[in-house]
Amino acid sequence: MAIELRVPTILRTYTGGAKAVNGDGATLAEFIDNVNGAHPGLKERIVEGEPEELRRFVNVYVNDEDVRFTGGLKTGIKDGDVVVVLPAVAGG
Amino acid sequence: MRFDSLLDSVGGTPLVGLPKLSPSGDVRLWAKLEDHNPTGSIKDRAALRMLLDAEKDGRLRPGNTILEPTSGNTGISLAMAAKLRGYRMVCVMPENTSEERRQILRMWGAEIISSPAAGGSNEAVRVAKQVAEDHPDWVMLYQYGNPSNALAHYDGTAREILDDLPSVTHFVAGLGTTGTLMGAGRFFREHKPDVKIVAAEPRYGELVYGLRNLDEGFVPELYDATLIDARFSVGPRDAVRRVRELLDNEGIFAGISTGAILHAALGQAAKCVREGETADIAFVVADGGWKYLSTGAYEGTIDEAEDRLDGQLWA
């Protein structure tokens, strides 16, 4: 088992076109670092600043729940979880 | 119930229990039937309030043209209100929205400017801002940043729910302009702060998210994350499955976005059951299913429906 990252179309240049890649980690931050090891450049499109936080127009979901309401980058994750990254869009 | 005109009848919608879908006698679901509004959606509340407030503060004067970026419902509501109050209505709408929505808009006299499918409503907003620059005399009420949008739900939707269901513990609604959640969120924070505010956000196919830079995303100016407690992303498969469950079990024929909202509400209900809590979960039925029949969401297998919805703005 592993943790799956669903990659939005615009970030697939970092994953050789793959729609999903796997990684490991106990928190979202660790997971993003881990995935970035295999796909350098991915992290800085998702995370910014010091201390690190999610970029303003990027939404990240673990098992469909927005991580901004579950602890942000400190959100705990485990094998079998699915992490989705999406640009923020309008509705209405 | 008697009203002086159609516009006076906006709001005051029924709240109905869901005896079959509620997991137990202690964890109950309640549907706020916003399809009972004059044009059949919750957007009548925001549209009417934005229009009346703009008249009051003098931004809108007789004979003006109203411009609005919309994926459909807000435009339809504004077109109805504009017709009755004597304004011309121009909508900017993504081209990947259902044909019914276009026909209904035209029926109420609105003119439609199409924006590109790729990028979804973000593109409609961008195009509308450009059109507004070209026509400085047109009035853009701008649902994404207009406080009257949220106020309609503060004074209406949320207050009605608390009046009808004083034991309410959760409020679940769709996240688009964020107006419903911001208005209801603020109302409950002030009047019953232990009510949890849950957002259900539709997750579309890849086309809708466009191919441009991540930094060109869009967060409505109204959005204040401190007013909600949890936010779920719901894809078309779960939305379709739930909208069919709502019809099969409770007889409610709702639009696809309501399936996404119900999915989040049922997730919350299951969590309450696991944790042994008592809960009264009120959720919004944003509109009826009529406008989405041509999307194919209500026929065939879930797989087929999911395929058909790919690339469409289904909420």
Side-chain angles (χ1 to χ4, degrees):
Chain A
M1 288 281 274
I3 300 159
E4 180 179 316
L5 175 71
R6 301 255 169 95
V7 186
T9 322
I10 44 178
L11 295 188
R12 287 181 199 155
T13 47
Y14 299 97
T15 60
K19 289 185 178 183
V21 294
N22 288 338
D24 282 304
T27 64
L28 181 61
E30 287 179 22
F31 172 70
I32 291 173
D33 280 336
N34 179 263
V35 171
N36 193 64
H39 308 282
L42 198 55
K43 177 178 173 175
E44 68 182 55
R45 303 298 305 280
I46 301 172
V47 170
E48 67 184 349
E50 188 59 50
E52 289 175 344
E53 52 184 286
L54 294 172
R55 296 180 80 101
R56 175 165 162 73
F57 293 118
V58 174
N59 292 330
V60 179
Y61 308 85
V62 173
N63 301 337
D64 292 341
E65 184 160 12
D66 186 330
V67 299
R68 286 195 172 91
F69 299 90
T70 59
L73 288 166
K74 295 193 187 82
T75 298
I77 52 174
K78 59 184 187 312
D79 265 6
D81 283 351
V82 175
V83 178
V84 174
V85 174
L86 286 177
V89 301
Chain B
M1 264 179 283
R2 175 175 137 173
F3 300 96
D4 288 338
S5 77
L6 186 68
L7 289 177
D8 293 296
S9 76
V10 170
T13 53
L15 184 70
V16 304
L18 301 190
K20 299 215 174 85
L21 286 177
S22 295
S24 74
D26 289 333
V27 176
R28 291 169 296 262
L29 290 166
W30 301 86
K32 182 73 169 156
L33 300 183
E34 291 301 309
D35 58 317
H36 284 229
N37 279 303
T39 74
S41 91
I42 191 168
K43 298 295 189 179
D44 283 355
R45 293 178 184 268
L48 181 62
R49 180 66 182 259
M50 290 194 298
L51 191 145
L52 294 179
D53 286 353
E55 284 181 346
K56 248 182 245 157
D57 67 20
R59 259 185 309 148
L60 200 53
R61 290 192 208 89
N64 274 160
T65 295
I66 297 173
L67 171 72
E68 188 66 25
T70 171
S71 57
N73 278 336
T74 304
I76 292 166
S77 300
L78 275 173
M80 179 273 292
K83 184 177 241 344
L84 295 179
R85 308 284 297 182
Y87 305 105
R88 176 182 169 218
M89 179 73 212
V90 178
C91 294
V92 179
M93 192 159 81
E95 59 191 0
N96 49 339
T97 46
S98 72
E99 175 55 28
E100 289 94 325
R101 286 188 254 191
R102 287 165 186 278
Q103 280 193 28
I104 294 167
L105 275 169
R106 287 195 293 266
M107 201 173 77
W108 260 296
E111 295 156 49
I112 303 169
I113 298 171
S114 287
S115 58
S121 295
N122 288 10
E123 273 296 297
V125 171
R126 192 186 61 76
V127 170
K129 285 179 174 169
Q130 183 60 52
V131 172
E133 273 180 35
D134 298 342
H135 299 273
D137 54 323
W138 291 7
V139 180
M140 182 151 76
L141 295 172
Y142 193 58
Q143 54 176 336
Y144 300 99
N146 189 327
S148 303
N149 175 0
L151 280 171
H153 303 287
Y154 182 99
D155 289 331
T157 320
R159 195 179 291 274
E160 291 166 23
I161 288 172
L162 186 58
D163 284 348
D164 290 337
L165 187 70
S167 57
V168 60
T169 56
H170 297 78
F171 174 79
V172 189
L175 192 79
T177 69
T178 75
T180 309
L181 284 152
M182 294 302 103
R186 190 163 285 123
F187 177 85
F188 283 117
R189 293 282 194 259
E190 290 174 13
H191 294 86
K192 196 179 180 202
D194 53 336
V195 172
K196 295 273 180 282
I197 310 297
V198 179
E201 178 186 14
R203 185 170 65 245
Y204 300 112
E206 290 175 0
L207 172 72
V208 173
Y209 294 96
L211 291 163
R212 289 175 303 139
N213 199 296
L214 267 187
D215 297 325
E216 291 172 36
F218 179 72
V219 177
E221 290 83 344
L222 286 179
Y223 186 60
D224 174 356
T226 65
L227 295 177
I228 62 179
D229 297 295
R231 175 170 166 171
F232 295 92
S233 167
V234 185
R237 188 177 184 83
D238 286 323
V240 164
R241 185 161 62 90
R242 297 306 194 183
V243 88
R244 291 182 182 194
E245 282 179 27
L246 191 58
L247 189 55
D248 290 344
N249 292 284
E250 306 285 355
I252 297 170
F253 175 45
I256 308 165
S257 70
T258 298
I261 298 168
L262 176 61
H263 185 68
L266 283 166
Q268 186 60 58
K271 197 172 163 205
C272 292
V273 169
R274 276 199 305 276
E275 290 168 13
E277 293 171 7
T278 297
D280 276 307
I281 301 165
F283 72 96
V284 168
V285 171
D287 62 2
W290 305 102
K291 288 189 295 284
Y292 311 95
L293 285 173
S294 72
T295 64
Y298 303 88
E299 281 192 313
T301 65
I302 302 270
D303 283 339
E304 288 163 359
E306 188 184 10
D307 286 346
R308 289 189 209 112
L309 286 176
D310 190 42
Q312 296 194 55
L313 271 190
W314 47 265

